[in-house]
Amino acid sequence: MSVPLMDRFRSAGILFDGGMGSMLIAQGLEAGWPPEEWNISCPDVVREVHREYLNAGSDVIGTNTFGGTPARLGNHGRGGDSRDLNAAGLRIAHEAIADQEAGRARHVAFSMGPCGEMMPPVGSADETRVRDEFLAQLQGILNGESPDLILVETMIDVREALIAMEAARSVCDVPVAVSMTYSRNQRGFFTMMGNEANVTTRQLEDAGADVVAANCSIASHDMIDLARLLRSATGLPILCQANAGQPGLHDGRPAYDQAPDEFAAHAMQLYDIGINAVGGCCGTTPQFIRLIRERLDGH
Amino acid sequence: MLIVIEAGFSVGVRAAGKLWEEGEYFLPELAFSAEAMKSAMAVLQPALLAQGVSNSKGRVLIGTVQGDIHDIGKSLVTTMLLANNYEVIDLGANVSHDTFVAEVKARKPQILGMSALLTTTMSGQGEVIRLLVEHGLRDSVKVIVGGAPTTSGWATEIGADGHGENAVAAVALANRLLED
């Protein structure tokens, strides 16, 4: 029996994985096609991405289920497949870990992104509708091996994040990490909805999050400043997953502009600040993770 | 009646846009101001038309490109343009390349605005411009682009007339282009 993930979170130095969507696009996923669909149509490709991250040294891999609510899959006419696509995503991640040789303990984080329905005044979804979206997605984890963590991520509305966490609590006892996506403006770090990082972190802590986190939107340099703020706001374990710089086009293909070694150097600064777990978001690849692993092991 | 728009609603929406640029307002406040503006225009616009009064600076056709369902940024640009006396035809999100071309041909806007929020869909902006050239429509309309992954360098690369970093900048860009 390996060490439970939450026990490891009590110390620093946990390494998550990097981007999934960008890796699948590199494998031929077409624009507008839901990545989660590949959990059933191309499971080998998804499993291989997990394997690459595990080989690079990730302790925790995130499932390919980010957009797995019926509302989001419904944009592609696959809303009815939510449970199956999420279950397949979870199974593939466990399989990738089972294939690894014994040694370092590995864990699975079940990814849940925004549900695809916004609450007023930006959208018109009420709490029940948002909760039902997450409950439908969570159907995918109720049979078979459980995830070690539920990772509610890239949230811009703390109300939605809290509903997702409560939905998870209502169906299982898996620990929940809540990751908001903050941008920097003249006055500090805020989500698009205006949820300020300090205040939001306390709200998440009060509501019983096991891990608070920040991901996407900002590059690793800004993440260091945000991490200091988060560390001073809570005693809970913290996970930070920055983007690999800013997106742009390189020779007509989407590309992020940050070099992996700079990202890895910033990752080590995050651990030094007291951030318990680090990973990457958009544009990060197994190479980014490998460089962090090398520095961690030599640290 | 024009004064209700020009001294009232437009000023309010522009003020909300400014506060957003300054980091004071966020999406919910902008959504509220957009809603107020839209509700007012729904009442005022028909009345103005009935009186034969026009305060329109020009017609803008706007939409989010094919494969991209992101609506928020594009809708904010629509509101800011309305607040600045533009007539706006909003085609919504996930607009096919052919629809953009057909609508440019049919509605004859002075400006076409295209939004893309994903690195995987932004190439559609260039594709529509290519089709406009192919259909002999490119010279009839100014093309502006926006969305998180887009930059002024990208706008130049695909042959657009300009790039708006945000909804407020998009209005300034439209004003500048129509003055030329």
Side-chain angles (χ1 to χ4, degrees), chain A residues 223-241:
Chain A
M223 188 61 89
I224 292 170
D225 290 338
L226 174 58
R228 285 200 185 93
L229 195 155
L230 297 178
R231 187 66 289 167
S232 66
T234 181
L236 288 177
I238 299 174
L239 160 69
C240 290
Q241 305 200 89

PDB file of all heavy atoms in Angstrom, chain A residues 223-241:
ATOM      1  N   MET A 223       3.574  33.621 -11.345  1.00  0.00           N
ATOM      2  CA  MET A 223       3.113  32.618 -10.389  1.00  0.00           C
ATOM      3  C   MET A 223       3.913  32.688  -9.092  1.00  0.00           C
ATOM      4  O   MET A 223       3.375  32.404  -8.009  1.00  0.00           O
ATOM      5  CB  MET A 223       3.209  31.218 -11.017  1.00  0.00           C
ATOM      6  CG  MET A 223       2.583  30.114 -10.190  1.00  0.00           C
ATOM      7  SD  MET A 223       0.790  30.317  -9.889  1.00  0.00           S
ATOM      8  CE  MET A 223       0.071  29.477 -11.305  1.00  0.00           C
ATOM      9  N   ILE A 224       5.173  33.098  -9.166  1.00  0.00           N
ATOM     10  CA  ILE A 224       5.997  33.195  -7.954  1.00  0.00           C
ATOM     11  C   ILE A 224       5.422  34.249  -7.007  1.00  0.00           C
ATOM     12  O   ILE A 224       5.279  34.005  -5.801  1.00  0.00           O
ATOM     13  CB  ILE A 224       7.462  33.518  -8.331  1.00  0.00           C
ATOM     14  CG1 ILE A 224       8.072  32.307  -9.049  1.00  0.00           C
ATOM     15  CG2 ILE A 224       8.282  33.879  -7.095  1.00  0.00           C
ATOM     16  CD1 ILE A 224       9.422  32.574  -9.673  1.00  0.00           C
ATOM     17  N   ASP A 225       5.046  35.401  -7.563  1.00  0.00           N
ATOM     18  CA  ASP A 225       4.453  36.454  -6.718  1.00  0.00           C
ATOM     19  C   ASP A 225       3.100  36.006  -6.153  1.00  0.00           C
ATOM     20  O   ASP A 225       2.792  36.254  -4.988  1.00  0.00           O
ATOM     21  CB  ASP A 225       4.269  37.745  -7.524  1.00  0.00           C
ATOM     22  CG  ASP A 225       5.607  38.391  -7.847  1.00  0.00           C
ATOM     23  OD1 ASP A 225       6.586  38.102  -7.122  1.00  0.00           O
ATOM     24  OD2 ASP A 225       5.673  39.174  -8.808  1.00  0.00           O
ATOM     25  N   LEU A 226       2.315  35.356  -7.013  1.00  0.00           N
ATOM     26  CA  LEU A 226       1.011  34.864  -6.553  1.00  0.00           C
ATOM     27  C   LEU A 226       1.202  33.816  -5.453  1.00  0.00           C
ATOM     28  O   LEU A 226       0.469  33.802  -4.455  1.00  0.00           O
ATOM     29  CB  LEU A 226       0.229  34.272  -7.730  1.00  0.00           C
ATOM     30  CG  LEU A 226      -1.094  33.582  -7.402  1.00  0.00           C
ATOM     31  CD1 LEU A 226      -2.064  34.537  -6.700  1.00  0.00           C
ATOM     32  CD2 LEU A 226      -1.749  33.028  -8.674  1.00  0.00           C
ATOM     33  N   ALA A 227       2.209  32.960  -5.619  1.00  0.00           N
ATOM     34  CA  ALA A 227       2.456  31.888  -4.646  1.00  0.00           C
ATOM     35  C   ALA A 227       2.780  32.457  -3.262  1.00  0.00           C
ATOM     36  O   ALA A 227       2.314  31.936  -2.244  1.00  0.00           O
ATOM     37  CB  ALA A 227       3.601  30.999  -5.131  1.00  0.00           C
ATOM     38  N   ARG A 228       3.554  33.534  -3.232  1.00  0.00           N
ATOM     39  CA  ARG A 228       3.873  34.174  -1.939  1.00  0.00           C
ATOM     40  C   ARG A 228       2.591  34.624  -1.252  1.00  0.00           C
ATOM     41  O   ARG A 228       2.421  34.448  -0.046  1.00  0.00           O
ATOM     42  CB  ARG A 228       4.778  35.390  -2.165  1.00  0.00           C
ATOM     43  CG  ARG A 228       6.208  35.018  -2.476  1.00  0.00           C
ATOM     44  CD  ARG A 228       7.172  36.188  -2.225  1.00  0.00           C
ATOM     45  NE  ARG A 228       8.494  35.781  -2.667  1.00  0.00           N
ATOM     46  CZ  ARG A 228       8.956  36.036  -3.889  1.00  0.00           C
ATOM     47  NH1 ARG A 228       8.227  36.710  -4.764  1.00  0.00           N
ATOM     48  NH2 ARG A 228      10.152  35.600  -4.243  1.00  0.00           N
ATOM     49  N   LEU A 229       1.706  35.202  -2.080  1.00  0.00           N
ATOM     50  CA  LEU A 229       0.439  35.695  -1.541  1.00  0.00           C
ATOM     51  C   LEU A 229      -0.405  34.532  -1.009  1.00  0.00           C
ATOM     52  O   LEU A 229      -0.957  34.595   0.100  1.00  0.00           O
ATOM     53  CB  LEU A 229      -0.281  36.430  -2.673  1.00  0.00           C
ATOM     54  CG  LEU A 229      -1.457  37.343  -2.371  1.00  0.00           C
ATOM     55  CD1 LEU A 229      -1.572  38.363  -3.495  1.00  0.00           C
ATOM     56  CD2 LEU A 229      -2.740  36.559  -2.266  1.00  0.00           C
ATOM     57  N   LEU A 230      -0.486  33.456  -1.792  1.00  0.00           N
ATOM     58  CA  LEU A 230      -1.280  32.298  -1.363  1.00  0.00           C
ATOM     59  C   LEU A 230      -0.683  31.691  -0.096  1.00  0.00           C
ATOM     60  O   LEU A 230      -1.415  31.303   0.829  1.00  0.00           O
ATOM     61  CB  LEU A 230      -1.324  31.239  -2.480  1.00  0.00           C
ATOM     62  CG  LEU A 230      -1.995  31.632  -3.807  1.00  0.00           C
ATOM     63  CD1 LEU A 230      -1.911  30.477  -4.798  1.00  0.00           C
ATOM     64  CD2 LEU A 230      -3.444  32.046  -3.593  1.00  0.00           C
ATOM     65  N   ARG A 231       0.649  31.600  -0.062  1.00  0.00           N
ATOM     66  CA  ARG A 231       1.296  30.979   1.099  1.00  0.00           C
ATOM     67  C   ARG A 231       1.013  31.752   2.379  1.00  0.00           C
ATOM     68  O   ARG A 231       0.848  31.173   3.456  1.00  0.00           O
ATOM     69  CB  ARG A 231       2.805  30.878   0.832  1.00  0.00           C
ATOM     70  CG  ARG A 231       3.640  30.111   1.850  1.00  0.00           C
ATOM     71  CD  ARG A 231       3.344  28.606   1.919  1.00  0.00           C
ATOM     72  NE  ARG A 231       2.045  28.265   2.506  1.00  0.00           N
ATOM     73  CZ  ARG A 231       1.486  27.068   2.444  1.00  0.00           C
ATOM     74  NH1 ARG A 231       2.084  26.072   1.816  1.00  0.00           N
ATOM     75  NH2 ARG A 231       0.320  26.851   3.000  1.00  0.00           N
ATOM     76  N   SER A 232       0.942  33.091   2.245  1.00  0.00           N
ATOM     77  CA  SER A 232       0.660  33.891   3.441  1.00  0.00           C
ATOM     78  C   SER A 232      -0.825  33.850   3.810  1.00  0.00           C
ATOM     79  O   SER A 232      -1.194  34.181   4.934  1.00  0.00           O
ATOM     80  CB  SER A 232       1.110  35.341   3.231  1.00  0.00           C
ATOM     81  OG  SER A 232       0.323  35.949   2.234  1.00  0.00           O
ATOM     82  N   ALA A 233      -1.666  33.434   2.858  1.00  0.00           N
ATOM     83  CA  ALA A 233      -3.113  33.454   3.109  1.00  0.00           C
ATOM     84  C   ALA A 233      -3.632  32.185   3.770  1.00  0.00           C
ATOM     85  O   ALA A 233      -4.689  32.188   4.392  1.00  0.00           O
ATOM     86  CB  ALA A 233      -3.864  33.683   1.793  1.00  0.00           C
ATOM     87  N   THR A 234      -2.904  31.080   3.642  1.00  0.00           N
ATOM     88  CA  THR A 234      -3.432  29.811   4.157  1.00  0.00           C
ATOM     89  C   THR A 234      -2.329  28.865   4.619  1.00  0.00           C
ATOM     90  O   THR A 234      -1.202  28.917   4.109  1.00  0.00           O
ATOM     91  CB  THR A 234      -4.295  29.092   3.082  1.00  0.00           C
ATOM     92  OG1 THR A 234      -4.797  27.868   3.641  1.00  0.00           O
ATOM     93  CG2 THR A 234      -3.481  28.766   1.842  1.00  0.00           C
ATOM     94  N   GLY A 235      -2.677  28.023   5.576  1.00  0.00           N
ATOM     95  CA  GLY A 235      -1.768  26.974   6.008  1.00  0.00           C
ATOM     96  C   GLY A 235      -2.014  25.663   5.275  1.00  0.00           C
ATOM     97  O   GLY A 235      -1.312  24.670   5.485  1.00  0.00           O
ATOM     98  N   LEU A 236      -3.018  25.653   4.388  1.00  0.00           N
ATOM     99  CA  LEU A 236      -3.324  24.428   3.634  1.00  0.00           C
ATOM    100  C   LEU A 236      -2.231  24.129   2.621  1.00  0.00           C
ATOM    101  O   LEU A 236      -1.489  25.022   2.207  1.00  0.00           O
ATOM    102  CB  LEU A 236      -4.642  24.607   2.867  1.00  0.00           C
ATOM    103  CG  LEU A 236      -5.948  24.612   3.649  1.00  0.00           C
ATOM    104  CD1 LEU A 236      -7.103  24.875   2.702  1.00  0.00           C
ATOM    105  CD2 LEU A 236      -6.146  23.291   4.390  1.00  0.00           C
ATOM    106  N   PRO A 237      -2.143  22.867   2.171  1.00  0.00           N
ATOM    107  CA  PRO A 237      -1.241  22.558   1.066  1.00  0.00           C
ATOM    108  C   PRO A 237      -1.624  23.377  -0.173  1.00  0.00           C
ATOM    109  O   PRO A 237      -2.809  23.639  -0.401  1.00  0.00           O
ATOM    110  CB  PRO A 237      -1.490  21.065   0.810  1.00  0.00           C
ATOM    111  CG  PRO A 237      -2.070  20.537   2.063  1.00  0.00           C
ATOM    112  CD  PRO A 237      -2.837  21.666   2.676  1.00  0.00           C
ATOM    113  N   ILE A 238      -0.622  23.775  -0.944  1.00  0.00           N
ATOM    114  CA  ILE A 238      -0.853  24.592  -2.139  1.00  0.00           C
ATOM    115  C   ILE A 238      -0.225  23.921  -3.364  1.00  0.00           C
ATOM    116  O   ILE A 238       0.887  23.394  -3.300  1.00  0.00           O
ATOM    117  CB  ILE A 238      -0.251  26.012  -1.977  1.00  0.00           C
ATOM    118  CG1 ILE A 238      -0.895  26.736  -0.799  1.00  0.00           C
ATOM    119  CG2 ILE A 238      -0.436  26.830  -3.261  1.00  0.00           C
ATOM    120  CD1 ILE A 238      -0.270  28.086  -0.485  1.00  0.00           C
ATOM    121  N   LEU A 239      -0.964  23.976  -4.456  1.00  0.00           N
ATOM    122  CA  LEU A 239      -0.493  23.476  -5.754  1.00  0.00           C
ATOM    123  C   LEU A 239      -0.478  24.641  -6.743  1.00  0.00           C
ATOM    124  O   LEU A 239      -1.453  25.386  -6.828  1.00  0.00           O
ATOM    125  CB  LEU A 239      -1.455  22.376  -6.245  1.00  0.00           C
ATOM    126  CG  LEU A 239      -1.457  22.032  -7.736  1.00  0.00           C
ATOM    127  CD1 LEU A 239      -0.149  21.344  -8.140  1.00  0.00           C
ATOM    128  CD2 LEU A 239      -2.654  21.113  -8.070  1.00  0.00           C
ATOM    129  N   CYS A 240       0.635  24.801  -7.475  1.00  0.00           N
ATOM    130  CA  CYS A 240       0.726  25.866  -8.490  1.00  0.00           C
ATOM    131  C   CYS A 240       1.069  25.266  -9.846  1.00  0.00           C
ATOM    132  O   CYS A 240       2.057  24.521  -9.971  1.00  0.00           O
ATOM    133  CB  CYS A 240       1.808  26.878  -8.120  1.00  0.00           C
ATOM    134  SG  CYS A 240       1.395  27.906  -6.708  1.00  0.00           S
ATOM    135  N   GLN A 241       0.264  25.581 -10.873  1.00  0.00           N
ATOM    136  CA  GLN A 241       0.531  25.086 -12.228  1.00  0.00           C
ATOM    137  C   GLN A 241       0.412  26.250 -13.216  1.00  0.00           C
ATOM    138  O   GLN A 241      -0.681  26.590 -13.655  1.00  0.00           O
ATOM    139  CB  GLN A 241      -0.449  23.962 -12.579  1.00  0.00           C
ATOM    140  CG  GLN A 241      -0.437  22.821 -11.548  1.00  0.00           C
ATOM    141  CD  GLN A 241      -1.012  21.520 -12.089  1.00  0.00           C
ATOM    142  OE1 GLN A 241      -0.306  20.696 -12.653  1.00  0.00           O
ATOM    143  NE2 GLN A 241      -2.305  21.355 -11.935  1.00  0.00           N
TER     144      GLN A 241
END
